[in-house]
Amino acid sequence: MRILLFTFALLWLSGCAYQAQEAPAGSWQAQKTTLTQLQQWQLSARLGIITAEERGSLSLFWRQNGDDYRMNLTNVVGKRVFDLTRRQGLVVLTDSEGRPHQASNARELVFRLTGWDLPVEQLSYWIKGLPGEADQVEYDTDGRPRTIVAHGWRLRYLGYTRIDGLWLPSRLDLTHDDTTLRLAINQWELK
């Protein structure tokens, strides 16, 4: 009888452990898996950039397709500040005069040409609310990232909006040394 009860208890515990590993629909764990698999999306936003030398407000358009992306920044009158694309590992920044500049590292290219320190490589994850593996994360009461600290940056998620069943960031602030980025996302489109 003891062996039967012991076996039943082990089976019951293993069943509970299996269920605990499955993320309930709508949970952060389930959403994180979905967001990780989300490879095609686009957004439009307002981007405030504050540095020791300047402050400005720009319009941001971002389209992500797998590892490739297009990030377009325009000023308040709609003039291109720069257009940044990544295709098959090659990064090209087209400046306001239409001249292309190439590199393999987007962050270094943007900094060299504009003086702005933009974490382009990480931003495609952070903008979806996805922390990296080594990032320090603090979660809100709903289990979503509230702050992320990584690569010298501190992100604060100030708002989320529900799009196609997913909670996606609507407002976030990023700070690094004397650079502050304020992002207010107007529209998400998921594919």
Side-chain angles (χ1 to χ4, degrees), residues 16-33:
C16 290
Y18 175 74
Q19 288 180 353
Q21 291 176 357
E22 291 181 8
S27 71
W28 168 247
Q29 187 179 1
Q31 176 167 309
K32 184 177 178 183
T33 301

Side-chain angles (χ1 to χ4, degrees), residues 52-181:
E53 294 82 33
E54 64 182 312
R55 43 177 60 226
S57 180
L58 304 169
S59 292
L60 167 69
F61 171 80
W62 188 307
R63 176 180 291 137
Q64 188 80 27
N65 185 10
D67 290 333
D68 295 339
Y69 56 82
R70 177 178 178 225
M71 183 175 103
N72 177 267
L73 287 175
T74 56
N75 64 18
V76 292
V77 295
K79 185 177 183 216
R80 175 176 53 202
V81 175
F82 68 77
D83 194 64
L84 184 68
T85 59
R86 180 185 188 277
R87 285 194 190 100
Q88 300 175 349
L90 180 64
V91 178
V92 177
L93 185 147
T94 304
D95 64 23
S96 60
E97 304 299 319
R99 293 180 301 236
H101 306 269
Q102 297 182 5
S104 59
N105 184 296
R107 184 176 182 178
E108 290 174 9
L109 181 62
V110 170
F111 185 75
R112 180 168 42 97
L113 296 173
T114 67
W116 298 337
D117 187 7
L118 301 180
V120 180
E121 291 85 6
Q122 291 81 24
L123 199 54
S124 66
Y125 296 98
W126 291 344
I127 210 166
K128 293 190 296 183
L130 275 177
E133 293 295 322
D135 295 357
Q136 296 175 5
V137 186
E138 183 180 306
Y139 296 95
D140 67 14
T141 55
D142 294 315
R144 301 173 301 214
R146 179 178 29 221
T147 60
I148 294 177
V149 177
H151 307 282
W153 285 89
R154 178 175 175 79
L155 287 73
R156 290 185 313 130
Y157 291 89
L158 304 174
Y160 282 87
T161 187
R162 196 162 175 87
I163 307 290
D164 294 341
L166 294 173
W167 287 104
L168 292 165
S170 57
R171 290 186 27 233
L172 60 149
D173 282 358
L174 299 89
T175 55
H176 178 266
D177 294 336
D178 64 350
T179 300
T180 299
L181 307 175

